[in-house]
């Protein structure tokens, strides 16, 4: 029977002490019915919320009963499919070949061996699989004169038979579902846009390093990168805690005295999920000859995951396992800071004329953040993107951050190439490419936005799922702005990246690391941070990395896609360039990590963590984030002293989802 403690830990609402009895009883009933563990049930619940595609999917009794019914229907469909396959196999073993046409032979065997003759239906199949998107005759479509009208492949129901919610029929558009620092006022649009950009964008990452050759990884280089990371963390822990060299040792060596061992959390098997029983510590070649030793962690309270670098204090008395008595804290990077003179220059650029202007909502920065997909599975009209551009124009946004996937390879119509392009004289129907499709469907609305708001800065971050980006591995090079027809206000940056918007340090990664951490995390005892949506990004901050998980989750375990294959793309990780995902100098002021988990905005270790959620879900509208960031007010003491001043963005930024 599923324990009350496990269910409370996995399903507990943020503001509740424990689950209500009726909710708890229903969850236990589902676990018994499907012989599922609480952990497995939580994965199914996450998938169900993603499948429903609405923000009204809350943990209440009616929703749980609908969830239970959905699981039962899935189980019945799988049973019927298995029974059907068995019956087909039985019939197929004794089937009599039949002639299906006058010119056809038995099983079309002769067609495949006759020189100069193609098998029947091969032309049709080749066309559906390999042709580039072309312009169809308007008599067969719904008049697609512009990308706004691109609703040619609209189906009322998807493959699973679930009713899809059309974008124009979405409920409560523009409704705020979560706010951070809601005591601050939302940005007020000025009477007229600024004559020039109020934002100075600087890349804190060397973008040239991202133009490496993918799929050319050497095992020796990869092992050195993994080893170096362990050794670097050992130096950090030693310096932070003031420890002597003699305090450290190899966890794999038998000893009678207590030592501190630094290594990487891993599993003793390549299959299945990490758990407390299968946990091992992988040492570096310098400190432990690269050996792996089982860990006993029953006496500590901590959250572990594969790839995590930890410093553990304990003893290996038998030589068979290392018993952990304490997990030492890893030091955090210092907060981002700037000189008072720099902050004063930035305030002048924002148009602060008086001291009271610091609290004027019209002087605050207006930042819109969105993550892909940008259109539903039903069409390639990109209606959510058009609505977002309209919002940016109405509110006179200073910054629009678009995080991939923008042109998603997991979109069923894009994956098959079976979609229509708008009538455009610059496109040759027989030579149209996906780059042409991006230029018209994405580049055109962004160009119109840039023309309406010349002072806007558009930041584009690619994803490994973007079909127009030739770089298939993570870390990933930027988009090519010129060939995609993007305006000059669009800034192409890498994935991941750390940038500065004026003085504000922003860290962005398009990879859904939170969902993967959620799946692989093992919680032992009662960790310091009980809130899941705050604990997961804390791993990134403590590990000083955009993707500390290793290895990445198998793509078969990721949420299913709407394509025919239904398997997610996953993340090809290039280990040789893993250091491009590290945080080097300081903790960012803002961390943007899009995820399939519920959208949220939280302050974690003085970092504003934003998950805007997808702008469009598979069956309906999604969410985006609007940030109102007020200028940094300098005290007289800070201005006269002249020392570095922390940005404290978590105090002066309002975030609305």
């Amino acid at each position: 029977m599923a324990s009350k403690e496990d269910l409370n830990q996995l399903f507990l609402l943020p503001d509740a002490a424990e689950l209500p009895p009726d909710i708890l009883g229903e969850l236990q009933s589902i676990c018994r019915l499907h012989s599922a563990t609480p952990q497995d049930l939580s994965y199914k619940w996450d998938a169900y919320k993603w499948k429903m595609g609405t923000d009204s999917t809350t943990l209440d009794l009616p929703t749980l009963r609908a969830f239970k019914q959905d699981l039962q229907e899935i189980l019945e469909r799988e049973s019927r499919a298995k029974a059907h396959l068995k019956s087909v196999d039985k019939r197929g073993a004794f089937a009599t070949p039949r002639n299906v046409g006058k010119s056809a032979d038995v099983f079309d065997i002769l067609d495949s061996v006759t020189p100069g003759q193609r098998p029947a239906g091969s032309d049709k199949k080749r066309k559906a699989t390999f042709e580039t998107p072309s312009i169809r005759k308007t008599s067969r479509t719904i008049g697609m004169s512009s990308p706004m009208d691109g609703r040619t492949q609209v189906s009322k129901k998807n493959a699973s038979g679930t009713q899809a919610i059309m974008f124009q029929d979405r409920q409560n558009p523009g409704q705020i579902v979560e706010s951070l620092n809601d005591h601050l006022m939302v940005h007020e649009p000025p009477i007229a846009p600024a004559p020039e950009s109020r934002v100075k964008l600087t890349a804190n990452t060397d973008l040239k390093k991202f133009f490496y050759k993918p799929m050319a990884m050497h095992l020796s280089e990869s092992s050195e990168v993994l080893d170096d990371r362990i050794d670097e963390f050992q130096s950090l822990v030693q310096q932070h805690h003031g420890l002597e060299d003699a305090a450290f040792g190899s966890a794999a060596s038998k000893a009678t005295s207590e030592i501190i061992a630094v290594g990487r959390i891993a599993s003793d098997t390549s299959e299945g999920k990490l758990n407390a029983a299968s946990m091992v510590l992988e040492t570096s070649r310098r400190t432990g000859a690269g050996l792996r030793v089982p860990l006993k962690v029953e006496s500590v309270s901590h959250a572990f995951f594969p790839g995590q670098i930890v410093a553990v204090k304990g003893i290996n008395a038998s030589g068979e396992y290392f018993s952990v008595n304490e997990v030492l804290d890893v030091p955090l990077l210092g907060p981002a800071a700037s000189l008072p003179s720099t902050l004063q220059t930035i305030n002048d650029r924002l148009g602060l004329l008086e001291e009271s202007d610091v609290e004027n909502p019209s002087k605050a920065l207006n930042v819109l953040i969105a993550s892909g997909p940008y259109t539903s599975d039903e069409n390639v009209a990109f209606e959510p993107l058009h609505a977002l551009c309209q919002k940016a124009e109405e509110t006179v946004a200073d910054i629009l951050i678009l995080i991939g996937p923008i042109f998603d390879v997991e979109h069923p119509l894009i994956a098959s190439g079976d979609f229509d392009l708008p009538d455009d004289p610059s496109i040759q129907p027989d030579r149209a490419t996906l780059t042409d499709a991006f230029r018209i469907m994405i580049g055109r609305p962004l160009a119109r936005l840039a023309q309406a708001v010349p002072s806007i800065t558009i930041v584009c971050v690619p994803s490994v799922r973007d079909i127009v980006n030739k770089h298939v591995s993570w870390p990933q090079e930027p988009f090519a702005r010129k060939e995609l027809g993007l305006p000059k206000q669009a800034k192409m940056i890498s994935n991941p990246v750390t940038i500065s918007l004026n003085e504000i340090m922003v860290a962005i990664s398009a990879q859904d690391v939170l969902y993967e951490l959620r799946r692989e995390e093992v919680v032992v005892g009662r960790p310091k941070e009980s809130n899941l949506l705050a604990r997961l990004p804390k791993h990134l901050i403590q590990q000083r990395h955009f993707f500390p998980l290793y290895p990445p989750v198998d793509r078969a375990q990721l949420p299913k896609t709407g394509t025919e294959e239904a398997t997610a793309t996953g993340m090809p990780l290039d280990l040789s360039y893993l250091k491009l995902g590290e945080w080097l100098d300081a903790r960012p002021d803002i961390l943007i990590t899009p995820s399939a988990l519920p959208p949220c905005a939280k302050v974690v270790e003085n970092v504003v963590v934003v998950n805007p959620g997808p702008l469009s879900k598979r069956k309906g509208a999604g969410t985006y984030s609007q940030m109102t960031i007020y200028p940094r007010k300098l005290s007289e003491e800070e201005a006269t002293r002249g020392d570095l001043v922390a940005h404290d963005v978590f105090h002066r930024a309002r975030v609305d989802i």
Side-chain angles (χ1 to χ4, degrees):
M1 180 177 176
S3 68
K4 177 180 177 181
E5 292 76 14
D6 291 342
L7 291 173
N8 270 314
Q9 180 180 343
L10 292 168
F11 290 90
L12 187 62
L13 300 175
D15 301 327
E18 61 180 11
L19 291 172
D22 55 345
I23 300 292
L24 185 63
E26 191 67 28
L27 289 172
Q28 290 176 330
S29 172
I30 297 174
C31 286
R32 286 195 302 269
L33 183 62
H34 295 276
S35 301
T37 65
Q39 190 77 51
D40 292 337
L41 186 63
S42 70
Y43 296 147
K44 295 179 184 293
W45 172 248
D46 289 340
Y48 177 74
K49 289 194 297 182
W50 175 255
K51 172 183 175 182
M52 295 308 296
T54 62
D55 297 322
S56 59
T57 309
T58 56
L59 189 65
D60 52 30
L61 196 57
T63 306
L64 268 182
R65 287 172 177 168
F67 171 53
K68 185 177 182 180
Q69 181 65 26
D70 184 76
L71 291 178
Q72 187 64 28
E73 291 175 356
I74 292 174
L75 183 62
E76 291 175 357
R77 283 199 301 269
E78 291 176 350
S79 300
R80 287 196 298 268
K82 291 178 181 178
H84 175 70
L85 289 175
K86 289 181 179 179
S87 64
V88 169
D89 291 341
K90 290 179 181 179
R91 291 198 306 268
F94 306 97
T96 302
R98 292 180 296 171
N99 193 349
V100 297
K102 294 182 179 179
S103 61
D105 61 292
V106 176
F107 291 141
D108 290 334
I109 294 175
L110 296 180
D111 284 345
S112 62
V113 298
T114 304
Q117 184 175 355
R118 294 180 181 176
S122 63
D123 290 339
K124 183 177 180 180
K125 183 176 181 181
R126 181 178 296 274
K127 179 177 180 181
T129 307
F130 299 106
E131 274 196 353
T132 55
S134 61
I135 304 174
R136 296 184 180 180
K137 295 180 180 180
T138 56
S139 60
R140 297 177 56 193
T141 63
I142 310 176
M144 194 172 182
S145 59
S146 69
M148 287 290 288
D149 301 320
R151 307 182 184 95
T152 54
Q153 287 82 16
V154 178
S155 61
K156 295 296 183 182
K157 293 186 178 182
N158 61 7
S160 63
T162 306
Q163 184 74 27
I165 302 174
M166 304 303 295
F167 182 76
Q168 62 269 24
D169 299 330
R170 67 195 187 279
Q171 297 180 354
N172 304 319
Q175 180 185 14
I176 297 176
V177 297
E178 182 174 342
S179 290
L180 176 68
N181 290 337
D182 56 0
H183 63 280
L184 299 174
M185 294 182 64
V186 180
H187 173 266
E188 293 181 0
I191 300 175
E196 59 182 6
S197 177
R198 301 200 303 156
V199 177
K200 181 181 179 182
L201 188 147
T202 307
N204 300 332
T205 305
D206 188 356
L207 299 182
K208 294 180 181 179
K209 292 183 179 180
F210 288 81
F211 291 89
Y212 63 88
K213 182 180 179 181
M215 302 178 69
M217 182 172 57
H218 298 285
L219 289 178
S220 59
E221 295 177 0
S222 303
S223 62
E224 289 174 3
V225 169
L226 294 174
D227 266 8
D228 290 345
R229 186 161 166 78
I230 297 176
D231 296 337
E232 289 169 5
F233 268 72
Q234 178 166 327
S235 299
L236 291 172
V237 170
Q238 182 175 2
Q239 183 179 0
H240 177 70
H241 293 279
L243 301 170
E244 301 291 335
D245 292 340
F248 294 88
S250 171
S253 300
K254 182 177 179 179
T256 56
S257 59
E258 193 176 60
I259 63 165
I260 297 172
V262 180
R264 177 180 293 102
I265 296 296
S267 175
D268 61 2
T269 176
S270 59
E271 300 178 356
K273 182 181 178 296
L274 177 72
N275 55 57
S278 65
M279 194 180 304
V280 298
L281 186 72
E282 180 181 277
T283 62
S284 70
R285 285 174 290 188
R286 185 177 70 87
T287 60
L291 297 174
R292 287 184 171 189
V293 58
L295 290 180
K296 298 294 183 182
V297 293
E298 293 85 355
S299 60
V300 298
S301 294
H302 197 74
F304 299 93
F305 61 88
Q308 182 184 29
I309 308 298
V310 295
V312 290
K313 181 185 291 186
I315 188 171
N316 185 351
S318 64
E320 297 180 356
Y321 62 86
F322 188 82
S323 181
V324 179
N325 300 323
E326 181 184 356
V327 180
L328 276 65
D329 292 332
V330 176
L332 302 178
L333 285 167
S338 299
L339 292 171
S341 58
T342 303
L343 295 175
Q344 188 59 52
T345 302
I346 292 171
N347 289 346
D348 293 340
R349 184 186 298 118
L350 296 176
L352 272 64
L353 303 177
E354 301 177 359
E355 186 176 348
S356 59
D357 285 343
V358 174
E359 301 176 358
N360 188 343
S362 64
K363 301 296 184 182
L365 279 180
N366 181 22
V367 183
L368 297 183
I369 306 168
S371 173
Y374 289 85
T375 188
S376 68
D377 283 2
E378 314 304 323
N379 56 55
V380 288
F382 289 94
E383 294 169 295
L385 177 63
H386 287 274
L388 180 67
C389 290
Q390 184 178 358
K391 176 71 174 180
E393 181 179 348
E394 292 173 353
T395 60
V396 192
D398 293 294
I399 307 161
L400 173 62
I401 300 178
L402 300 177
I403 305 171
I406 299 177
F407 220 61
D408 190 2
V409 70
E410 292 184 2
H411 191 288
L413 300 179
I414 295 176
S416 65
D418 186 20
F419 63 92
D420 298 326
L421 293 176
D423 295 324
D424 190 277
S426 65
I427 296 180
Q428 298 183 27
D430 297 334
R431 298 184 180 180
T433 64
L434 290 169
T435 301
D436 294 325
F438 186 102
R439 177 168 51 84
I440 294 174
M441 296 179 173
I442 308 297
R444 291 272 176 88
L446 294 182
R448 286 195 293 268
L449 172 62
Q451 186 176 6
V453 188
S455 60
I456 194 172
T457 299
I458 304 173
V459 179
C460 297
V461 185
S463 163
V464 292
R465 286 164 51 183
D466 272 301
I467 201 167
V468 295
N469 193 304
K470 63 181 180 180
H471 206 106
V472 297
S473 59
W474 191 96
Q476 186 181 20
E477 68 180 35
F479 286 118
R481 181 173 65 86
K482 187 175 180 180
E483 65 183 38
L484 296 177
L486 297 171
K488 65 178 181 180
Q489 288 92 334
K491 310 300 180 184
M492 306 293 103
I493 57 178
S494 59
N495 171 33
V497 72
T498 303
I499 58 175
S500 288
L501 305 175
N502 291 340
E503 84 283 6
I504 305 165
M505 183 181 290
V506 183
I508 310 172
S509 177
Q511 184 62 29
D512 189 354
V513 63
L514 298 185
Y515 182 89
E516 297 194 30
L517 282 172
R518 167 73 175 83
R519 182 173 179 81
E520 295 298 321
E521 185 188 45
V522 177
V523 178
V524 179
R526 293 188 175 274
K528 297 178 182 178
E529 181 56 70
S530 59
N531 186 291
L532 175 70
L533 297 181
R535 187 173 69 243
L536 295 180
K538 190 173 182 178
H539 290 318
L540 276 65
I541 298 171
Q542 291 176 333
Q543 295 290 299
R544 307 180 176 199
H545 204 280
F546 283 105
F547 199 89
L549 182 68
Y550 179 77
V553 174
D554 184 357
R555 65 194 192 116
Q557 307 300 325
L558 297 175
K560 300 299 182 183
T561 69
T563 61
E564 185 177 353
E565 188 184 51
T567 305
T569 305
M571 189 187 75
L573 179 64
D574 199 313
L575 283 176
S576 302
Y577 295 89
L578 194 64
K579 290 185 72 67
L580 294 179
E582 290 184 353
W583 300 354
L584 301 177
D585 302 321
R587 266 177 291 163
D589 296 307
I590 302 171
L591 173 60
I592 304 175
T593 57
S595 176
L597 298 180
C600 64
K602 295 187 178 296
V603 176
V604 182
E605 300 290 356
N606 295 344
V607 177
V608 179
V609 180
V610 181
N611 169 21
L615 187 65
S616 176
K617 299 182 181 179
R618 288 181 55 190
K619 303 177 191 175
T623 55
Y624 68 95
S625 176
Q626 180 177 11
M627 294 190 70
T628 302
I629 308 176
Y630 285 80
R632 175 65 161 87
K633 184 178 180 180
L634 292 171
S635 65
E636 293 185 4
E637 181 182 356
E638 290 173 336
T640 55
R641 192 170 60 231
D643 296 334
L644 288 172
V645 177
H647 296 160
D648 292 341
V649 173
F650 62 96
H651 282 317
R652 55 189 176 98
R654 170 176 176 146
V655 186
D656 294 312
I657 305 292

